[in-house]
Amino acid sequence: MTKKERYAFVLNYFETYAPNAETELIYDNPYQLLVAVILSAQCTDKRVNMTTPAIFAQYPDVYALSKATFDDLFPLIRSISYPNNKTKHLIGMAQLVVEEFNGEIPATVPELIKLPGVGRKTANVITSVVHHQPNMAVDTHVFRVSARIGLTTNATTPLQTELQLLKNIPTEKVHIAHHWLILHGRYTCVARSPKCGECGLRPACKYYAQLIKAN
Ligand code: SF4
């Protein structure tokens, strides 16, 4: 199978079986999504979703959050990984959005990565989810799943994975392909023991082909 055929099979599979894939983070607007994505670093979406309602109730917009004190916000984030840094990042992010962006969450990657707690991955998530821009956020699931299937070759960094995926996925499908790969990695192609027996990507998967060959 050529790389082109592999991509075509995989994209067609997801389009058929997961046409409406989307983030599992619960949010109502770009401000809430940005808060949730910052909190989700090294933390499950489920845990983030348990935490954000209280944050959004107390800080309904970026202006309210920009006035929060560390001591007020920290207790709401305590149950999440790296609460100290995340508390500082959220307040710093809100202050910068108010000061430099007129209270609007920026809509471009170069602007977003100026904000505390926002790296390339987070900026790619925000711009692709909110604005459907063709930006591919590569987290641990996207990195692993892409390599196993054979969508990427010898990628050793998230950036290499991102660039290889962008080169091969049609622009208009990039924003949803991000969710396809994440969800596949979260529920089927899991890290320790991928559930190949129940995976519809077997005919196109390099990892599975090697598994069969070895047995
Ligand atoms: S066949 Fe196995 S390794 Fe390949 S994508 Fe499916 S679960 Fe992952």
Side-chain angles (χ1 to χ4, degrees), residues 1 5 12 22 36 50 89 94 107 111 114 134 140 167 176:
M1 184 178 261
E5 288 166 342
N12 184 51
E22 56 185 25
M50 288 163 62
H89 285 155
E111 289 174 317
K114 290 182 185 168
T140 181
K167 201 171 156 193
I176 192 167

Side-chain angles (χ1 to χ4, degrees), residues 2-205:
T2 64
K3 181 172 268 192
K4 203 173 169 188
E5 288 166 342
R6 176 167 289 114
Y7 268 90
F9 184 99
V10 170
L11 295 175
N12 184 51
Y13 171 85
F14 284 128
E15 265 177 336
T16 305
Y17 295 104
N20 301 312
E22 56 185 25
T23 178
E24 294 185 318
L25 291 169
I26 298 170
Y27 70 100
D28 281 335
N29 53 50
Y31 157 69
Q32 292 189 356
L33 180 64
L34 182 53
V35 169
V37 177
I38 289 174
L39 291 175
S40 72
Q42 311 289 323
C43 187
T44 64
D45 287 1
K46 205 170 167 187
R47 165 70 55 187
V48 171
N49 288 336
M50 288 163 62
T51 309
T52 45
I55 299 173
F56 299 152
Q58 200 160 327
Y59 305 104
D61 56 34
V62 78
Y63 292 99
L65 187 60
S66 72
K67 293 185 189 118
T69 65
F70 182 93
D71 290 343
D72 286 338
L73 183 58
F74 182 81
L76 302 179
I77 295 175
R78 201 198 312 261
S79 65
I80 279 191
S81 55
Y82 307 108
N84 270 300
N85 278 344
K86 288 179 181 175
T87 300
K88 288 179 203 158
H89 285 155
L90 286 184
I91 297 171
M93 172 278 287
Q95 289 173 343
L96 204 64
V97 169
V98 169
E99 285 162 18
E100 289 207 9
F101 298 99
N102 226 3
E104 292 284 325
I105 304 300
T108 69
V109 171
E111 289 174 317
L112 280 162
I113 59 176
K114 290 182 185 168
L115 303 174
V118 179
R120 185 179 179 87
K121 186 178 71 176
T122 297
N124 282 344
V125 171
I126 302 298
T127 51
S128 69
V129 171
V130 177
H131 306 287
H132 287 192
Q133 290 175 20
N135 298 328
M136 175 60 71
V138 177
D139 71 348
T140 181
H141 297 304
V142 175
F143 185 83
R144 179 185 68 254
V145 170
S146 301
R148 276 186 183 157
I149 298 170
L151 297 177
T152 55
T153 311
N154 301 326
T156 56
T157 65
L159 183 58
Q160 287 173 2
T161 296
E162 178 183 329
L163 296 177
Q164 290 187 36
L165 292 174
L166 289 179
K167 201 171 156 193
N168 292 285
I169 298 173
T171 306
E172 71 281 5
K173 290 181 187 162
V174 169
H175 72 93
I176 192 167
H178 160 73
H179 300 305
W180 286 335
L181 294 169
I182 282 190
L183 295 172
H184 196 65
R186 202 173 276 170
Y187 297 111
T188 306
C189 194
V190 292
R192 289 204 181 152
S193 307
K195 300 172 185 172
C196 302
E198 58 188 67
C199 178
L201 295 178
R202 278 175 295 175
C205 180

